[in-house]
Amino acid sequence: MTDFMRTVLCVAAALTGATLTSIAGAADAIPLTIESARPGAKIERHIFGQFAEHLGRGVYEGVWVGPESKIPNTRGIRNDVVAALKAIKVPNVRWPGGCFADEYHWKNGIGPRDQRPATLNPNWGGVIEPNTFGTHEFMDFLDQIGADAYLSINVGSGTPAESADWLEYLTTPQPTALARQRAANGHPEPFRVPILGIGNESWGCGGSMTPDYYVSQLKVYARYARNYNSQQPMRRIAVGSDSVDTSYVEAVMAAWKNRTWAWDIEGISLHYYSVVKWPPAYKATGFGETEYAELLKSTLRMDELLRTSSAIMDKYDPQKKVLLSVDEWGAWLAKTPGTPEGFLEQQNSQRDALIAALNINTFARHADRVKIANIAQMVNVLQAMIFTQQEKMLLTPTYHVFRMYVPFHDATLLPVSFDAGTYRQGEIELPRVDAMAARDAQGKVWVALVNLDPSRTVSIDIEVPGVKSKGARGQTLIAPKIDSVNTFEAPETVKPKAVSAKTSGGKTTMTLQPASLTVVALE
Ligand code: AHR
C-alpha cells in the first residue's frame, strides 16, 4: 500500500467512519509516516481559544469573585483560575456571549461598580446580572492571563450606534469624550480588540434573522463598529453555519464577494456541538460504550461540516482570505444533578477529553481555513477546563488536553499517512486511531495520537523520513474508565503521565492505551 492510499484511507475514515480493512493486523504495529518535507499551513494558536459567557457560574464565581472576597484574587479576579489558564496559554477569550451578547448593553458594565444597574439574564436561568464584571474587568482578566479579546457585539437587541460607541470607547487613542470616559474609568491607553464577532447565532437566539436580513445588518455593523486604532488590526467575524445549515455562509460569502469599499469582514463562524439528539440528554458520567461511540461519531462530523462550509467559501474566496472561526464547539451533555436549570453545568470525563483532541486534530487538518476556534466554555459551563467550588478549583480532563497541545500553538502542520483501522461498537464504525503532526518554531516534530478503541491497545510505528531521531518523549492521558472524571474529592483520577520510546531502525514505536490521547515530540 502506498502512502497516498493510506492517506486516502485515513481521511475517508475520518470523514465517514467507513469500514477499512486493517492492513497491519491486530497484533502488528500500524506504520505512520510523518511527511516533514511537505509542510502545510500554520496551526494558528487562536484555534485554542476559550469562551466565557455570562451564564451560570462561568464568569461570576468562575472568574470574578470581587476584590473583597476571601478567595485569593487580583482586583476581583481569582488567582487560581488565572494561574491555570496561563499554563495553557489561552490565546483569546470570546465574551460576553453567546446568546447573552445579543442582550448585553455595555454601558451598564462601566464606571463605579456599586453604581452599576442590576439587569436580567433571561437566556440563562433568568437570574440577576449585576454588571460587576464589565469591559474593564474583562480586559484586566485578559491582561492577567495573557490572552486577546474576542468581543461579541449586540446585533440582536442593540443598535449600530451602541456598538460603534463601544468600539470607540475601547480602541480610540484620540481624546474623544468616550476615550476620556475610559481614562476616567482607569484606562487612559486604548484597549486592543483583535477579534470582533458581529452578532451570535443570529439565525436563533440572536434575533431569528433570515440570511438576507442578517446580511443587511452585517453591512451596517461592519461599517460602523469600527476599529478606531489603525495601529491595531481587528478581524471581524460574521455569523455563519448552524451545524448543517449553511444558508448563512452562502448569503454572507455571496455578499462579501460583491462587497464595496464601505464594509468588509475577515471571517465567518461555525457552531457545532457534539450532541446525538437535541435537547442534549446524554449522561456526563455513568454512560455505556454505545453512548461513548455515538458521541465520538457525532464529534467526527466536524470534519464534514468544515468541508461543507469551506467548499462554499472556496466558491467565493478561492484565495482563502476569509477565515473560518469555530467559535462554539464541545460536548453538550445532561446537566449535573442538583444544579440550576439554565446553568449548563456538566461533568467532564475521559470521553470528553478525547472529544476535545479529535476536534483539535480536525481543526489542525483544516488549518488553511480554520484560524480561530473557541471551546464552550472555559469555567463551570458545558465542556469546561476548570470547575470551581467556593475557594477550591479543579482541572478537568479537557484542561489536560489543552495543556498537552500547547506545543502545537502556531506550529506548522505536517501531513501524516497511516491506516486508521476500525473500532466497532454495535452498528457504529469509527476509525480506531486519529493522528495529527506538526513542526514547532524550534524545528521539533510533534505528533498527537488518539486511540478511540476503549478495549484494545494499539501500537504505532512512527517514521519521519529525512529526520533523525533517537526517540520520542511526551505525555499520555489515560483513565481507569471511559467515564472517569476528576472530582473535588479525587482531583487526579485523570491526568497525564510521562511516556517515552526509543527509535530503532528508523521507527519509533508508541503503544497507545485504550481510549487515550498521547502527545510526543521526536528527539
Ligand atoms: O454555549 C451556550 C450557548 O450555545 C450559547 O450562548 C449559544 O450561542 C449557543 O446556542
Side-chain angles (χ1 to χ4, degrees):
M1 171 178 279
T2 63
D3 285 351
F4 173 73
M5 287 162 73
R6 282 200 204 101
T7 309
V8 170
L9 282 175
C10 164
V11 169
L15 266 177
T16 62
T19 309
L20 300 177
T21 313
S22 173
I23 304 302
D28 300 328
I30 296 175
L32 181 145
T33 305
I34 301 175
E35 297 177 42
S36 65
R38 288 205 302 125
K42 180 165 107 174
I43 302 167
E44 268 214 35
R45 66 192 174 91
H46 285 291
I47 68 162
F48 298 94
Q50 298 287 332
F51 175 28
E53 179 164 12
H54 286 231
L55 191 177
R57 298 187 306 120
V59 169
Y60 297 109
E61 294 183 40
V63 172
W64 177 260
V65 287
E68 316 303 332
S69 171
K70 285 199 205 89
I71 298 170
N73 69 82
T74 302
R75 294 181 295 278
I77 295 161
R78 294 182 75 119
N79 293 344
D80 51 359
V81 169
V82 165
L85 293 172
K86 275 171 90 168
I88 57 171
K89 299 193 187 301
V90 174
N92 72 77
V93 181
R94 182 169 179 255
W95 177 86
C99 299
F100 179 82
D102 279 301
E103 288 187 302
Y104 184 60
H105 300 286
W106 69 275
K107 286 183 182 162
N108 292 334
I110 55 166
R113 276 192 288 273
D114 57 359
Q115 289 168 32
R116 295 187 195 171
T119 53
L120 284 173
N121 189 341
N123 281 297
W124 306 118
V127 296
I128 292 277
E129 165 55 55
N131 285 297
T132 39
F133 190 86
T135 300
H136 289 256
E137 290 78 13
F138 174 59
M139 291 295 178
D140 187 10
F141 167 62
L142 294 181
D143 269 357
Q144 292 189 33
I145 66 169
D148 282 351
Y150 179 170
L151 212 70
S152 286
I153 54 173
N154 180 346
V155 172
S157 69
T159 63
E162 182 187 16
S163 286
D165 281 355
W166 198 10
L167 268 291
E168 183 188 321
Y169 180 89
L170 284 156
T171 63
T172 186
Q174 313 253 52
T176 66
L178 283 167
R180 286 205 300 273
Q181 199 180 355
R182 182 187 71 222
N185 288 333
H187 209 277
E189 292 304 312
F191 291 112
R192 287 177 60 244
V193 183
I195 313 173
L196 188 81
I198 304 183
N200 168 76
E201 300 194 353
S202 306
W203 26 262
C205 68
S208 298
M209 300 174 191
T210 62
D212 288 346
Y213 183 76
Y214 173 72
V215 166
S216 64
Q217 296 291 298
L218 172 67
K219 290 177 181 175
V220 174
Y221 278 82
R223 169 89 186 127
Y224 296 112
R226 287 194 182 96
N227 174 14
Y228 289 91
N229 194 331
S230 58
Q231 304 305 308
Q232 299 173 1
M234 181 172 87
R235 300 195 276 194
R236 289 157 292 183
I237 313 298
V239 175
S241 294
D242 168 14
S243 304
V244 290
D245 183 348
T246 53
S247 48
Y248 264 56
V249 187
E250 192 70 57
V252 169
M253 290 307 296
W256 178 83
K257 176 107 199 300
N258 295 313
R259 69 198 178 283
T260 64
W261 61 269
W263 73 280
D264 205 347
I265 53 166
E266 286 72 32
I268 188 162
S269 78
L270 183 153
H271 287 186
Y272 177 64
Y273 286 92
S274 297
V275 166
V276 176
K277 215 168 80 188
W278 291 92
Y282 268 44
K283 288 197 269 178
T285 56
F287 51 82
E289 192 174 334
T290 301
E291 289 98 322
Y292 166 83
E294 283 177 329
L295 267 190
L296 294 195
K297 183 173 176 186
S298 153
T299 301
L300 291 173
R301 287 198 66 204
M302 180 65 86
D303 183 76
E304 170 201 327
L305 300 178
L306 295 180
R307 277 171 201 279
T308 309
S309 275
S310 298
I312 298 169
M313 294 171 80
D314 285 348
K315 266 195 311 183
Y316 300 102
D317 172 30
Q319 292 174 305
K320 300 191 193 297
K321 289 185 179 156
V322 180
L323 64 87
L324 249 179
S325 169
V326 189
D327 42 37
E328 284 187 33
W329 66 271
W332 191 323
L333 306 168
K335 76 178 182 80
T336 303
T339 57
E341 285 301 333
F343 275 31
L344 310 187
E345 293 194 27
Q346 65 187 44
Q347 246 301 358
N348 193 300
S349 68
Q350 175 72 0
R351 174 193 59 192
D352 304 333
L354 301 190
I355 286 173
L358 291 172
N359 272 310
I360 293 168
N361 286 357
T362 307
F363 302 150
R365 284 192 280 268
H366 288 273
D368 59 345
R369 200 51 111 166
V370 178
K371 309 276 182 193
I372 299 173
N374 301 77
I375 187 167
Q377 297 195 8
M378 192 171 68
V379 189
N380 292 332
V381 176
L382 295 176
Q383 191 174 344
M385 311 301 105
I386 293 171
F387 294 149
T388 62
Q389 194 181 75
Q390 318 243 345
E391 74 291 350
K392 291 191 236 155
M393 185 195 77
L394 178 70
L395 304 177
T396 67
T398 300
Y399 174 89
H400 294 302
V401 174
F402 273 73
R403 189 151 192 185
M404 290 166 75
Y405 274 90
V406 165
F408 289 89
H409 289 211
D410 286 340
T412 303
L413 184 71
L414 298 175
V416 288
S417 48
F418 64 103
D419 171 11
T422 306
Y423 154 54
R424 286 192 187 82
Q425 168 63 15
E427 306 277 285
I428 303 167
E429 293 184 348
L430 303 174
R432 185 179 171 199
V433 177
D434 188 68
M436 187 271 289
R439 193 199 303 277
D440 70 16
Q442 288 70 44
K444 213 181 237 189
V445 174
W446 291 84
V447 57
L449 301 156
V450 180
N451 179 4
L452 287 77
D453 193 322
S455 312
R456 294 182 296 164
T457 57
V458 57
S459 291
I460 308 284
D461 275 345
I462 304 170
E463 287 186 68
V464 195
V467 171
K468 281 209 177 98
S469 76
K470 288 199 226 113
R473 192 178 295 279
Q475 291 189 315
T476 189
L477 191 68
I478 48 174
K481 295 188 292 167
I482 47 178
D483 67 341
S484 292
V485 297
N486 291 337
T487 62
F488 288 97
E489 294 69 42
E492 299 202 337
T493 305
V494 186
K495 70 167 200 188
K497 297 175 179 53
V499 281
S500 61
K502 289 213 161 62
T503 303
S504 159
K507 290 180 184 166
T508 314
T509 305
M510 298 297 314
T511 299
L512 313 180
Q513 295 304 310
S516 66
L517 163 69
T518 302
V519 173
V520 290
L522 293 157
E523 306 188 316

